[in-house]
Structure formats: structure tokens, C-alpha cells
Amino acid sequence: MLRINRVGYMAAALLSNPTLSSSFLGQRLSIRGNSRKITPCCLVSRSPRCAADASYEGSLTKFPRLNVWDPYKRLGISTDASEEEVWSARNFLLTQYAGHERSAESIEAAFEKLLMTSFKNRKKTKINLKTRLQKKVEESPPWVKNLLSFVEVPPTVIILRRLFLFGFMACWSVMNSAEAGPAFQVALSLAACIYFLNDKNKSLPRAAIIGFGALVVGWICGSFLVPLIPSTLLQPTWTLELLTSLVAYIFLFLACTFLK
């Protein structure tokens, strides 16, 4: 009798509150009359990760020359291949075996090794060129050695600055050729040459001698070279004095720039 009363009590409680909670699988059961509804709970579950979720390279094409030591053979090129051929082989292989990490690393390693070898060879060639020039100078006659002892190569900036100055003088002389001769421009160029030489040697008499000597040699060479130019190539306003001064500007530039 007591058991019947307990069952009746539970049935009455169920009818009065038709929502039944259950902890099974994190779901809540709702019973309303004859309908049954399952509502998911806010329980978060994590599924275990499988090895298949990781990156898998077994299905990708593997570079067949992965462990070849020679970089030329690894890239499939000859030992006398040009730089363009090396780049082409590298790009082609990286495209063909894209996605396979070890293959890409092997191709890049061979490519970098060839680049370093090419750089060392270029550097060695430059050093050998300087050594050969020095050797030829040492083996030259004494008068050549004495002549080269008066020559030096300044920095590129100084060369460009002085080239611009004397080029400006030459253009000024050509533009002013119809009005007057180039005497004023030649005087300014001679003064600039002497100034640069004095700034280099710290000797005004030496600078003056070299400057006047360069002007005289340039004027004499111009006097012989200008008549050889066909008259059809010259403008009517270009006189012999003007063209000779252009040659003199060249000698003044060379003297103040490269002579000690």
C-alpha cells in the first residue's frame, strides 16, 4: 500500500512539472503530454585529435635527388650552366615539388650553394685582375713606373664634380661662340685647375706649372686635331679657337683630377 502511494506521488509530481532533467550525455528531456523534446545542453566536449588531422606528405611527390650531394646534379644542370639556367632550374623544381617541405629545402640549399660559389669566383676574379695589373706595372720599364707614379685615381664623387665643372665651361663657350671668343672661360678653367692641384699638393708653384703645361699641351693637340674634322660636321659659328679650347678643357680636367 505504501508503494502504491509512492508511485502515485511521483506520477502527480511528473504531471505538475513535465520537465525532467537528466545528466546523461548533457541532455535535458522535456515531456509535455504525449510529445517528447530533446534539447542539447550547453556542455562543451572535445573530440580527441587523430593522426590523420596533421599534415601528411606521404601522398605528395617526393624529389628524387633529395640526398644528392653535388648541387649541379641535384638541380639537374651542367657545371658550366649560366646564372639564368640556375634560376630557371630552381623555379621549375620548386613549382613541380611544391608542398613537400623536405624537397623544397633540398632544392633551396643547392641553389644557395651555387650562388655562394658564383659570388666567390667573381670576387676572386676581381682580385686576380688587380694582381695582374700590379704585376704588369712592376714588370714595366722604369720610365713607365716613373710616369705612373704621378697618376692617382680619386673618388668617384670628385671625378664627377670636376667633370661637371669643365663640361659647364665647354657648354658656356659653345653657347657664347657667336658673341665672343672663349678666352674668359679658358681663364676660369685654368684658375680652377690650379686651385684643385694646389689643394691636392699644397704647392702653388707646382700647381701653376702643371696647370699651364696642361693648357699648352691641350691647345697644341687641339690645333692639330681640329683641322682633321670634316667641315660638314661643324656649325658656321664654331671657330678654330673655340674647338681648340674644347680640347684644352679636356686636358685641364685630366690634369687636375688624375695628376698628383
Side-chain angles (χ1 to χ4, degrees), residues 61-122:
T61 305
K62 185 179 179 181
F63 185 45
R65 299 184 296 274
L66 190 65
N67 298 321
V68 175
W69 181 82
D70 190 354
Y72 291 99
K73 294 181 180 179
R74 191 185 303 178
L75 295 180
I77 57 178
S78 60
T79 54
D80 57 346
S82 62
E83 188 173 350
E84 290 77 12
E85 292 175 347
V86 174
W87 277 93
S88 300
R90 176 249 187 191
N91 295 335
F92 173 76
L93 292 176
L94 287 179
T95 304
Q96 187 176 4
Y97 299 100
H100 196 275
E101 185 177 357
R102 290 189 59 197
S103 298
E105 291 177 355
S106 178
I107 296 168
E108 288 287 1
F111 173 73
E112 292 176 359
K113 189 173 182 180
L114 290 181
L115 283 186
M116 290 299 299
T117 303
S118 177
F119 174 75
K120 291 179 181 179
N121 291 336
R122 290 179 182 177

Side-chain angles (χ1 to χ4, degrees), residues 217-227 240 243-244 247-248 251:
V217 173
W219 202 272
I220 294 174
C221 292
S223 300
F224 283 102
L225 293 176
V226 170
L240 178 62
L243 297 176
T244 304
V247 179
F251 278 81

